Amino acid sequence: MKMEKILKELERALGYRFQNLSLLQQAITHSSYSNEKNLGKLGCNERLEFLGDAVLEIVSSEFLFQKYPSLPEGELTKKRASMVCEPTLAMCARVFHLEKFLLLGRGEENTGGRKRDSIVSDALEAVIGAIYLDGGLESAKKFILTHVLNDMEHKHLFYDSKTILQEIVQENGKNPVSYHLVHEEGPDHNKVFTVEVRIDQELLGIGQGHTKKAAEQAAAYQAVMTLKKS
C-alpha cells in the first residue's frame, strides 16, 4: 500500500495518470535497487530510459524544427543538445522533485546518488518512456512540452552561460574570463564546490555546485546577469 501511495503522489506531480502503475514504478527503480532486491537486469529503469531518450529526441527535434524555421541543421543540433543534456534534464526533474521518489540501493543512497544529475536525468527519460508505453506518443509529447521544453530561453542561458559569458567578453574587447576555486567542503562522494569568476580581476559572479563544472556554470550565470543589467 505504501508503494501505491508513493506512486499516486508522483502521478500528481507529473500531471499524468497511469493505466499501468507498474511502468511508473519501474521508471523510478535504479539498477542499484534492482540488484539489491534481486530483481534482475530487467527490473530497473534502464530499458525505459533507452526508450524515453528516443521519444525525447523526436519530440524536441520537431519542437525546434517548428520553432526556428530559418535555423540550419547544425544550429538546430546544438540547440537540441543543450535542451536535452544531462544537467538540463536533471533541473527539469527537480522542479517536480522526481529525485525524492527514486528507488535506490543503500550504497547509492549513502553516497549521494539522489543528488547526482546522471541518475536524476536518466530517471526522467525513463518516466518519459513509461508514459509513452502507457499512453502513446501524444501523452509523452504533452509531458515533454510541459516539463522539459518550457522556459527554454532561461535554460539555454543557464547551461550555456560559460559560452555566453565568453562571447560577451570577446565582443567588448575585454581580457579573458578566469575561474577560481575558492572553497570545497563535504565528503568525497558529496562535495560542494564554490567558484568565483573574474574579468580583469573584477569579481562578477560566485557559484556553487556538486562538481567544479557546475559551480563554474553557476558563477558564469551570475556574471552574465550582472553584465546584462549594466
Side-chain angles (χ1 to χ4, degrees):
M1 184 64 186
K2 182 182 178 183
M3 178 53 64
E4 185 178 351
K5 184 178 180 181
I6 290 171
L7 294 174
K8 289 293 184 184
E9 183 182 347
L10 178 53
E11 272 190 325
R12 288 192 290 272
L14 299 176
Y16 176 79
R17 178 170 293 181
F18 278 81
Q19 301 175 61
N20 181 0
L21 267 179
S22 65
L23 284 169
L24 181 57
Q25 183 172 343
Q26 185 173 1
I28 60 173
T29 302
H30 187 256
S31 57
S32 61
Y33 183 91
S34 176
N35 293 335
E36 192 175 278
K37 300 297 182 181
N38 297 313
L39 300 177
K41 290 185 178 180
L42 301 182
C44 68
N45 63 7
E46 290 175 355
R47 279 171 53 84
L48 286 174
E49 175 205 336
F50 165 81
L51 179 61
D53 176 65
V55 174
L56 178 58
E57 182 166 330
I58 186 64
V59 172
S60 59
S61 297
E62 180 191 28
F63 173 82
L64 288 171
F65 186 84
Q66 294 178 345
K67 185 175 176 65
Y68 301 102
S70 62
L71 277 188
E73 180 268 344
E75 291 301 313
L76 291 172
T77 299
K78 287 181 184 178
K79 279 190 173 292
R80 185 179 65 196
S82 66
M83 284 166 55
V84 299
C85 68
E86 185 180 286
T88 304
L89 293 181
M91 180 177 75
C92 295
R94 289 188 177 106
V95 171
F96 54 87
H97 306 295
L98 178 60
E99 74 282 358
K100 81 174 187 178
F101 295 97
L102 301 182
L103 300 177
L104 303 177
R106 284 191 294 270
E108 195 64 61
E109 183 77 73
N110 293 336
T111 56
R114 208 169 288 278
K115 296 179 180 179
R116 201 163 290 135
D117 281 0
S118 58
I119 290 177
V120 179
S121 64
D122 287 350
L124 177 58
E125 289 183 330
V127 167
I128 291 169
I131 292 174
Y132 173 77
L133 288 179
D134 190 76
L137 182 59
E138 282 306 309
S139 294
K141 181 177 179 179
K142 181 179 178 182
F143 174 81
I144 292 168
L145 290 174
T146 301
H147 294 287
V148 180
L149 302 180
N150 60 328
D151 195 18
M152 285 315 305
E153 296 306 317
H154 177 263
K155 289 171 183 171
H156 170 71
L157 174 60
F158 185 83
Y159 286 107
D160 284 347
S161 53
K162 287 183 71 175
T163 302
I164 293 169
L165 178 60
Q166 190 63 45
E167 290 172 351
I168 293 173
V169 170
Q170 288 175 347
E171 285 176 6
N172 294 330
K174 293 186 177 180
N175 288 334
V177 178
S178 61
Y179 295 90
H180 307 274
L181 177 65
V182 294
H183 187 61
E184 60 180 90
E185 60 183 348
D188 287 342
H189 64 267
N190 194 26
K191 279 191 178 296
V192 175
F193 298 91
T194 302
V195 168
E196 293 180 350
V197 60
R198 295 176 178 270
I199 301 173
D200 293 333
Q201 300 305 311
E202 180 185 358
L203 176 63
L204 287 180
I206 301 174
Q208 288 188 325
H210 288 288
T211 65
K212 292 177 184 177
K213 182 179 179 180
E216 288 176 357
Q217 287 284 20
Y221 176 75
Q222 271 200 11
V224 170
M225 291 294 96
T226 299
L227 292 173
K228 282 183 175 290
K229 288 177 183 177
S230 62

